[in-house]
Amino acid sequence: MERGRAAGVEGRLLGGEPGAPPRRFRVRAKVVVAACGTLHTPLLLGTAGAFRSSGALGHGVTLHPAVRVVARFDDTLNGWDGALQSVYSDHFDPEGIKLVGVYSAVNVLAAGLPGVGPALRRRVRALPRCAVFGAMIHDEGGGRVRRGLGREPVVTYAMAPRDLARLRRAITILSEMALAAGAREVYTALLGAPPITSMDAARAAERAPVDARRIECMAFHPLGSARVANDPRRGIVDQSGECFELPGLFVADGSILPTSIGVNSQVPIMAMATRIAWRMAERFPALAAASPA
Ligand SMILES: Cc1cc2nc3c(=O)[nH]c(=O)nc-3n(C[C@H](O)[C@H](O)[C@H](O)COP(=O)(O)OP(=O)(O)OC[C@H]3O[C@@H](n4cnc5c(N)ncnc54)[C@H](O)[C@@H]3O)c2cc1C
C-alpha cells in the first residue's frame, strides 16, 4: 500500500525444487485485482489489514446446502454413464429449493447407504439399478471463513432454522419423485434412517424429530465473504468491485456476491467479474489500451 492506495502485490511462489528457498516476487501495479475465491480472498485481504471497520470480512458466507437421495429401481440404470447434471427443475424455486440431477462416485454413494454387513453389501451390489437426484437450498448466510493453521482457511456454518426446514422438505420432494418414477426403495440423506418405500413414509419422515447432524449435507458454492454493499459499514467492496477501505484494490470472484443466488455459481461469478472489468476499463483507459484483450 502507498498513500492509502493498493500499489501492487508481493508474495512467495508455492512449489519449486524440494529444499530450495521459496521464490519471492513483487509486482507494482496501478490497479490490483484479488480473485482467490470465497475461501481465500478474505485471508488475502486480511493480510492487507485495512478491512476492520465493517466487520463483514469473512462473515455472512452462503453455501447452497445440498442433499441427495439414492433410489433403487428394478431396471439397470448405470447412473455413472452419460452427462452429469443434464436435468434440473426450478418448480420449487418459490420455496427456495432447486432440484438438480447429480451422480456421485460409486464409493461415496456406497458409504452413505443404510445398513451394515450383508444388508449393506446387498445395497451396494444394487448400485447399477440406483438413480441419484439432488436438491440445493437458497440459504441465508450462516457461514464464516477465518485463517486456520498455516495458510489454509477454516469455514464454519450455522444453518438457519428456515434452511433446515427447506432441506427436509427437499428430501421429501426428492423421495416422492423417485417413488412416482417407480423406485422400490429410497435411501435419503438422513444417515442411518431406514429406506423410504411409500409416499406416506416420505411425508412422515419430514415431520419426525431429527438430529440435524445426521443429515448428510454437501455444499459446492461458497459465496459472500467480502460482499458488495452500498455502504462501507455493511460490506467490503462497492458496486464497481473496489474495496471501500483500500482504493485501487478490486475483488472479482464469488466472495463479493452479497446473498446466495439459488443457482450454480460459476456463470454468475463470471458475469460479475466481466462487469467489474468493463467498469475498470472505463476508469483506467490507459490500462485497457495496454492490455492485449
Ligand atoms: C466440486 C465442485 C463442483 C462444482 N460444480 C459446479 C457446477 O457444476 N456449476 C457451477 O456453476 N459451479 C460449480 N461449482 C462452483 C464453482 O466452481 C465456483 O463457484 C467458482 O469456481 C468460484 O469462482 P471463483 O473465481 O470465486 O473462485 P475459484 O474458481 O476458486 O478461483 C480462485 C483461484 O484463486 C487461487 N488462489 C487462492 N488463493 C490464492 C493465493 N493466495 N495466491 C494465488 N492464487 C490463489 C485458487 O487456486 C483458484 O485457482 C462447483 C464447485 C465445486 C467445488
Side-chain angles (χ1 to χ4, degrees):
M1 291 185 274
E2 280 175 10
R3 290 188 292 277
R5 282 188 66 83
V9 185
E10 58 184 23
R12 173 170 72 81
L13 296 177
L14 298 177
E17 289 296 314
R23 293 176 59 189
R24 298 193 165 273
F25 68 91
R26 176 180 281 204
V27 181
R28 290 187 60 81
K30 288 198 170 64
V31 170
V32 178
V33 182
C36 298
T38 297
L39 304 190
H40 284 273
T41 285
L43 306 191
L44 182 74
L45 266 49
T47 61
F51 302 93
R52 301 214 171 87
S53 63
S54 78
L57 189 65
H59 287 265
V61 173
T62 61
L63 296 172
H64 292 155
V67 287
R68 56 161 170 75
V69 304
V70 180
R72 182 176 61 74
F73 290 82
D74 287 338
D75 297 327
T76 299
L77 303 166
N78 291 341
W80 50 83
D81 268 352
L84 285 169
Q85 297 191 341
S86 46
V87 286
Y88 78 98
S89 169
D90 51 18
H91 182 82
F92 294 95
D93 264 3
E95 296 181 55
I97 297 168
K98 172 90 77 236
L99 307 180
V100 224
V102 290
Y103 199 83
S104 316
V106 176
N107 51 342
V108 177
L109 288 179
L113 294 177
V116 291
L120 179 61
R121 183 191 290 233
R122 219 172 29 252
R123 291 194 172 115
V124 172
R125 285 230 168 93
L127 275 176
R129 289 183 277 124
C130 287
V132 186
F133 222 84
M136 65 185 182
I137 302 302
H138 192 159
D139 61 324
E140 291 177 9
R144 178 154 183 213
V145 182
R146 13 177 173 202
R147 185 175 289 281
L149 291 175
R151 56 177 211 94
E152 296 303 327
V154 172
V155 186
T156 51
Y157 185 84
M159 189 178 288
R162 182 202 73 174
D163 294 334
L164 177 60
R166 286 180 169 182
L167 212 56
R168 297 190 69 188
R169 168 93 180 106
I171 294 170
T172 306
I173 294 167
L174 292 170
S175 304
E176 287 178 335
M177 271 172 52
L179 292 167
R184 296 288 179 187
E185 278 191 329
V186 180
Y187 315 123
T188 68
L190 193 56
L191 292 175
I196 301 273
T197 51
S198 72
M199 298 282 190
D200 284 347
R203 287 168 207 145
E206 186 183 338
R207 291 190 300 271
V210 68
D211 179 351
R213 289 169 299 185
R214 283 177 49 215
I215 298 180
E216 185 204 32
C217 202
M218 303 165 275
F220 305 103
H221 307 147
L223 303 170
S225 57
R227 64 178 176 263
V228 64
N230 287 326
D231 181 336
R233 286 168 302 177
R234 300 184 57 217
I236 301 298
V237 300
D238 66 16
Q239 288 192 26
S240 64
E242 189 169 20
C243 292
F244 288 118
E245 294 182 48
L246 191 53
L249 175 59
F250 291 74
V251 181
D253 61 28
S255 68
I256 64 171
L257 272 72
T259 65
S260 84
I261 49 181
V263 294
N264 289 24
S265 48
Q266 186 172 318
V267 172
I269 292 170
M270 290 162 88
M272 291 294 291
T274 305
R275 186 172 175 275
I276 287 169
W278 283 342
R279 290 223 175 159
M280 227 184 270
E282 284 164 17
R283 269 184 61 194
F284 305 98
L287 293 179
S291 159

